[in-house]
Amino acid sequence: MKTESIESYLRRPYHIEIVWSESEDGDAGWVAEVKEFRGCIAQGRTREELLRNVDRAMEAWIDDALEAGDPVPEPRADASYSGKVLVRMPPYLHGELAAEAERQGVSLNQLAVTLLARGTGAASESRERSAPR
């Protein structure tokens, strides 16, 4: 049975989650996790350093799996989202959000989207590997 090369795996569109991390003792930097490779994590003080380190971590993870005869997972399929979601909330919160939307002169939907984007977009972003290096 012929095994593929590490380089052929690295060209696949694996999902990498990147977040900014700050510890209680003041250390800060970027952290990345390859979602398909359990335990494959890298860190870097800059995004450039992080991306170099995540490439090294992936190479090591794949090499270890191939040496052990373990399968290397395929990239997971991208989920498809409609952009619609139903959120149930207490009536008092609904009223507060509606009042804030009115104060800002936006729809309740636009306010909710803005608040959700701030809550998730500022804390993390995802990067997909889609182009060969």
Side-chain angles (χ1 to χ4, degrees):
M1 174 168 140
K2 183 180 180 239
T3 27
E4 295 185 53
S5 69
I6 292 173
E7 293 78 22
S8 70
Y9 285 107
L10 291 173
R11 286 191 292 271
R12 296 179 183 177
Y14 289 105
H15 295 80
I16 302 170
E17 181 179 337
I18 298 174
V19 296
W20 178 255
S21 176
E22 295 182 32
S23 67
E24 291 180 10
D25 59 1
D27 286 339
W30 295 97
V31 178
E33 177 183 7
V34 182
K35 300 311 265 182
E36 291 87 348
F37 300 166
R38 175 173 271 160
C40 187
I41 297 172
Q43 298 176 320
R45 292 211 178 270
T46 66
R47 286 180 61 86
E48 293 77 22
E49 180 183 15
L50 173 71
L51 295 177
R52 283 191 307 273
N53 291 343
V54 78
D55 285 343
R56 289 184 194 123
M58 289 178 70
E59 288 174 16
W61 196 100
I62 294 166
D63 187 50
D64 288 348
L66 293 175
E67 274 191 30
D70 295 335
V72 177
E74 292 295 323
R76 62 179 163 81
D78 289 328
S80 176
Y81 300 101
S82 69
K84 296 178 185 180
V85 64
L86 174 65
V87 178
R88 299 201 185 278
M89 65 186 79
Y92 79 89
L93 180 57
H94 189 174
E96 287 180 17
L97 289 171
E100 181 60 27
E102 188 174 333
R103 278 192 291 283
Q104 292 186 23
V106 297
S107 69
L108 179 56
N109 185 74
Q110 184 58 50
L111 177 66
V113 168
T114 300
L115 293 172
L116 289 168
R118 278 188 204 147
T120 61
S124 68
E125 70 181 86
S126 292
R127 173 179 159 250
E128 286 186 20
R129 227 177 238 292
S130 57
R133 292 177 291 150

